[in-house]
Amino acid sequence: MISHPSRHCTVELQALPSRIGQVRRIVSAQLRYWHMDPLIDRASLGVTELLSNVHRHAQPDKTCTVEIELLLDRLKVSVHDHDPRLPVVADAGPLATCGRGLAMVAAMSESWGALPDGQSGKVVWFTLPAPSAAPLTVWDRRPRLTAVEPAERLFAEPALVDHTTEEHRGAPVPVRSAVPG
């Protein structure tokens, strides 16, 4: 399920190698939609590392939820799983072939962390500074035709309508993936 596309996106999945690539594409598409193209590479790398850790280490299952949220000045990416064990940054040796994932997330992000989620699992997250190219509310506007005064005019004038009112905020938007599986 993908929630309302304005500033928050949630994807539930099994952290399997085939699904990790799909989530990377979803994150990339969502960031393009939000006009946050400069964050795509780092967000994709970070979510790949976090999902790879769920795939390798999470018990009892590989079910997880990826959330990306565009806040005022940063992008927050988090992965929730059902394993209560908190991750530890490994001190991988120079010849090690794995064990650098969290160190990479720490190096490329503004901040990161892991917390118990209050149930039976945890959330691991990272943030990236958002480019300040345009105000967020501009992206949530769509043109709408409205009647214009005086009445003798025979055309309509486009007006920008802000779709971030309370009536639109919590309503999930159904989305179907075109990717099989």
Side-chain angles (χ1 to χ4, degrees):
M1 174 191 116
I2 299 177
S3 65
H4 190 278
S6 64
R7 292 189 185 118
H8 187 257
C9 177
T10 304
V11 180
E12 297 175 28
L13 70 142
Q14 290 285 325
L16 303 173
S18 60
R19 297 288 187 193
I20 294 171
Q22 291 173 349
V23 172
R24 219 177 18 247
R25 288 187 293 278
I26 290 169
V27 167
S28 297
Q30 189 67 51
L31 291 176
R32 275 190 209 92
Y33 177 74
W34 288 337
H35 305 283
M36 293 285 139
D37 297 43
L39 301 181
I40 291 173
D41 290 340
R42 290 188 294 160
S44 295
L45 172 65
V47 79
T48 299
E49 292 302 327
L50 296 184
L51 289 174
S52 294
N53 282 349
V54 172
H55 175 68
R56 283 191 187 120
H57 305 292
Q59 300 293 330
D61 61 37
K62 308 301 181 189
T63 303
C64 64
T65 303
V66 174
E67 285 187 79
I68 58 174
E69 185 174 12
L70 187 56
L71 306 169
L72 291 176
D73 60 347
R74 70 185 39 88
L75 177 76
K76 182 177 181 182
V77 179
S78 58
V79 175
H80 304 254
D81 67 40
H82 300 289
D83 189 340
R85 297 174 298 157
L86 295 177
V88 178
V89 178
D91 187 19
L95 300 177
T97 58
C98 62
R100 293 184 180 87
L102 286 177
M104 283 195 307
V105 169
M108 64 87 189
S109 65
E110 179 181 63
S111 61
W112 79 278
L115 298 167
D117 73 356
Q119 297 167 2
S120 63
K122 68 178 170 298
V123 59
V124 183
W125 55 269
F126 66 90
T127 63
L128 299 172
S132 57
L136 296 177
T137 56
V138 171
W139 303 330
D140 293 334
R141 293 181 179 182
R142 294 178 180 89
R144 181 178 77 177
L145 296 178
T146 58
V148 183
E149 297 200 21
E152 61 266 15
R153 286 192 159 160
L154 300 175
F155 60 91
E157 184 174 290
L160 288 180
V161 178
D162 190 353
H163 288 280
T164 58
T165 61
E166 288 301 318
E167 66 184 296
H168 288 51
R169 275 185 214 258
V173 177
V175 177
R176 292 197 174 98
S177 174
V179 180

